[in-house]
Amino acid sequence: MTVRVQAETFDPGAELSAFGQGRADLGAIVSFTGIVRDDAGSLDRMVIEHYPGMTEKAISQIVARAVDRWALADCLVIHRHGSLQPGEQIMMVATASKHRVAAFEAAEYLMDYLKSRAPFWKKEFTRDGATDWVAAKVDDEDALKRWSD
């Protein structure tokens, strides 16, 4: 199981290729790559802050829950911090299991957690100079409720 919180970009194809390399025991690998989205067409950049150590610990705990709940063979979570431009990768989740349903559900669980509960603070900077902290969305909170333990 791998959790990385990093400023530098990553290559999702290379990460996915390395993730499943040499694993004949797997029946499914599911991956998701999140991208910085510019909904309004005015985003200059998003700045993501976190507390080193605390963030990795929190994500590692939820990864451990996912591994136990879905009997995952492997799991990868990469989340970036720092200044990100629209269109850049912001995060990646990959899950591996013997069965596709477990891999899909675990990936969704992890993505919902990362969106709503991972200790990141996001601030958007627009081209006209406005700034705004990104608030939690009702839809993201509702998605997380379906996984109540």
Side-chain angles (χ1 to χ4, degrees):
M1 309 313 142
T2 302
V3 172
R4 294 192 337 243
V5 178
Q6 62 191 50
E8 51 281 334
T9 192
F10 57 91
D11 179 339
E15 295 290 346
L16 189 58
S17 181
F19 180 71
Q21 188 72 31
R23 298 293 305 259
D25 60 322
L26 302 176
I29 294 175
V30 170
S31 69
F32 172 83
T33 303
I35 310 253
V36 177
R37 177 179 64 236
D38 184 5
D39 284 332
S42 62
L43 184 66
D44 179 60
R45 69 190 181 284
M46 175 184 288
V47 175
I48 301 173
E49 298 176 2
H50 76 109
Y51 289 111
M54 181 183 94
T55 304
E56 292 85 351
K57 182 179 177 182
I59 295 171
S60 294
Q61 288 171 343
I62 200 68
V63 165
R65 273 196 250 158
V67 167
D68 288 345
R69 184 171 180 170
W70 285 280
L72 297 178
D74 204 355
C75 185
L76 168 68
V77 175
I78 302 170
H79 203 296
R80 294 182 62 201
H81 64 88
S83 183
L84 304 173
Q85 305 297 312
E88 286 190 75
Q89 292 98 357
I90 190 171
M91 56 82 64
M92 179 180 180
V93 166
T95 56
S97 70
K98 291 182 184 269
H99 305 285
R100 66 181 163 84
V101 171
F104 273 110
E105 287 181 357
E108 283 190 282
Y109 172 80
L110 290 165
M111 291 178 300
D112 288 343
Y113 170 80
L114 288 167
K115 186 76 172 169
S116 299
R117 292 288 184 275
F120 291 103
W121 294 269
K122 300 173 185 175
K123 194 169 202 174
E124 292 181 337
F125 293 80
T126 62
R127 290 183 194 97
D128 64 8
T131 61
D132 195 17
W133 289 103
V134 177
K137 296 179 179 142
V138 174
D139 289 348
D140 294 332
E141 292 297 317
D142 289 344
L144 194 58
K145 288 177 188 173
R146 69 184 165 143
W147 305 113
S148 61
D149 297 320

